[in-house]
Amino acid sequence: MKIVLFDVKSYDKKHFEAANKEFGYEITYYEPALNVHTAVMAKGSDVVCPFVNCTVDKEVIDILKECGVKLIAMRSAGFNNVDYNYALKNGIPVVRVPAYSPYAVAEHSFALLLALVRKLTHAYVRTREFNFSLSGLVGMDLHEKTIGIVGTGKIGRVAINIAKGFGMKVLAYDPYPADIAGVEFTDLDTLLRESDVVTLYCPLTKDNYHMINANTLEDMKNTVLLINTSRGALIDSEALLEALKEKKIGGAALDVYEEEAGIFYTDQSDEGIKDDVLARLISMPNVIITSHQGYLTEEALRAISQTTLKNIKDFEDGKELVNQVK
Ligand code: NAI
């Protein structure tokens, strides 16, 4: 099997090289993301491995088919960037890595929350300049505050356990509510209205695009802290920026951004960024943005490479594709 990885960084290559010792595949690593301009680079490959900011739409799938690609093996859990029905119609199944480390993402969301609530980014910059003043650094206890968990799948459940460790009251919303000790399931409106912290752990689907928008932001507490480590387009960024400017919410920490493709994972420090909404969000004192790094732990990278290659091996062997996106 000839495999081509798109949107590759040095840490991806390191882990795929290690995992491939067991499989011995011919792997080519490309830095550019997969899109309509780069798809032709897959020529002669059996499998393409895209990542979260690749575009795998109809046009790209047509090119991949012409190039002889037989399998799309996503290196991610999310698959909102792939037209998997169209791919399958064209005889190209799509597989993914449904679980690699829910701990990585859940822990990162709490790293963001703690940094936001205790103003760690400001404190860090101050002490580096030998400014030991505490003015403006007053935070808030998480203990006994209400956290609203949106999506109680693998990552959401890890987050629930972490929140319980802080002594928080846990409200949850999921279209498929589960029986989880110490968690009160409610509707989304109630969760948004009553929570001191709202944190998103659900996939992006056509039904929940901009689930956090001008209307829902209006209903939330004006001190609420909003955390998003799931997918950027769950939040209407322009509405979020307006709410922050009007002090309708207390702050936001985002690991994902709806227009992140082409910006996140790249160094733009020489040029600045053209996205005014993102630039303005970054400028707000009560906003923290990380560059879609929730998954980025050694454990998760190891699991991603191993599961991706195992998915490919199952395909090669004609076995059932247990991780197929359907
Ligand atoms: P999962 O499939 O285990 O759980 C998702 C849960 O969300 C399910 O319980 C589902 O019923 C629920 N859900 C679906 N639609 C919903 C809606 N409209 N409102 C509320 N809940 C809804 O997925 P997992 O592993 O927990 O991952 C969640 C998401 O996290 C992924 O879809 C992906 O977008 C994101 N993610 C982000 C990463 C990062 O690096 N920042 C890394 C990995 C995943």
Side-chain angles (χ1 to χ4, degrees):
M1 297 293 260
K2 286 188 182 166
I3 303 169
V4 56
L5 269 70
F6 283 89
D7 208 356
V8 177
K9 305 289 180 252
S10 56
Y11 42 81
D12 298 312
K13 187 170 176 186
K14 177 185 135 188
H15 283 278
F16 269 84
E17 289 292 288
N20 195 33
K21 288 199 177 112
E22 187 189 331
F23 298 92
Y25 288 130
E26 188 181 328
I27 305 182
T28 307
Y29 301 93
Y30 287 136
E31 254 181 62
L34 174 63
N35 57 41
V36 71
H37 305 295
T38 58
V40 71
M41 291 161 80
K43 198 165 179 54
S45 303
D46 303 295
V47 183
V48 291
C49 288
F51 197 47
V52 290
N53 287 329
C54 294
T55 306
V56 198
D57 58 12
K58 289 189 175 66
E59 217 178 333
V60 168
I61 291 165
D62 285 342
I63 301 171
L64 294 179
K65 196 178 171 190
E66 270 177 38
C67 289
V69 169
K70 299 176 192 71
L71 178 73
I72 298 171
M74 297 300 298
R75 314 198 303 277
S76 59
F79 49 86
N80 52 287
N81 51 335
V82 190
D83 193 335
Y84 52 92
N85 283 323
Y86 186 75
L88 193 57
K89 250 189 246 163
N90 280 278
I92 307 176
V94 176
V95 288
R96 66 175 181 133
V97 184
Y100 37 90
S101 171
Y103 307 101
V105 186
E107 288 170 13
H108 188 69
S109 66
F110 275 80
L112 289 172
L113 172 57
L114 286 170
L116 194 60
V117 83
R118 300 309 297 267
K119 305 181 198 291
L120 291 187
T121 49
H122 301 284
Y124 172 77
V125 171
R126 273 192 206 179
T127 53
R128 277 181 70 87
E129 292 178 353
F130 309 123
N131 174 355
F132 300 102
S133 138
L134 295 182
S135 311
L137 296 187
V138 179
M140 171 184 92
D141 286 6
L142 293 180
H143 182 70
E144 292 193 343
K145 295 295 182 308
T146 299
I147 186 167
I149 304 273
V150 181
T152 55
K154 291 176 284 297
I155 299 171
R157 284 172 198 231
V158 175
I160 286 170
N161 285 336
I162 298 174
K164 284 185 191 165
F166 279 102
M168 302 183 84
K169 178 185 169 195
V170 183
L171 286 183
Y173 165 69
D174 194 298
Y176 302 96
D179 191 10
I180 305 174
V183 177
E184 186 184 330
F185 275 84
T186 179
D187 58 277
L188 183 61
D189 290 347
T190 308
L191 178 148
L192 296 178
R193 213 173 37 246
E194 294 186 1
S195 298
D196 300 297
V197 175
V198 170
T199 174
L200 309 180
Y201 302 111
C202 58
L204 174 66
T205 66
K206 60 179 179 357
D207 302 323
N208 63 14
Y209 174 80
H210 284 184
M211 74 191 297
I212 305 295
N213 53 48
N215 291 334
T216 51
L217 285 160
E218 192 72 46
D219 291 342
M220 291 158 82
K221 290 187 182 180
N222 60 13
T223 51
V224 71
L225 301 175
L226 178 62
I227 316 293
N228 187 8
T229 53
S230 284
R231 283 295 179 267
L234 292 169
I235 299 179
D236 178 343
S237 316
E238 290 191 28
L240 173 65
L241 179 58
E242 273 316 301
L244 285 158
K245 285 202 283 196
E246 299 300 321
K247 300 199 186 319
K248 285 185 179 158
I249 70 165
L254 313 173
D255 186 47
V256 285
Y257 173 66
E258 55 181 325
E259 302 294 338
E260 70 181 47
I263 302 176
F264 283 16
Y265 304 140
T266 67
D267 182 355
Q268 313 253 335
S269 56
D270 278 348
E271 297 167 35
I273 48 170
K274 294 192 182 79
D275 186 320
D276 290 345
V277 175
L278 179 60
R280 188 73 175 89
L281 282 170
I282 290 170
S283 78
M284 303 294 286
N286 48 353
V287 172
I288 297 177
I289 296 199
T290 53
S291 180
H292 207 142
Q293 69 174 77
Y295 74 100
L296 197 66
T297 65
E298 290 289 339
E299 292 80 358
L301 289 169
R302 195 177 312 125
I304 288 171
S305 55
Q306 287 168 347
T307 305
T308 303
L309 294 180
K310 176 74 172 63
N311 285 341
I312 294 169
K313 179 82 176 111
D314 286 349
F315 176 75
E316 186 184 22
D317 294 346
K319 288 191 182 160
E320 188 199 351
L321 300 178
V322 286
N323 293 326
Q324 185 171 358
V325 181
K326 289 180 184 160

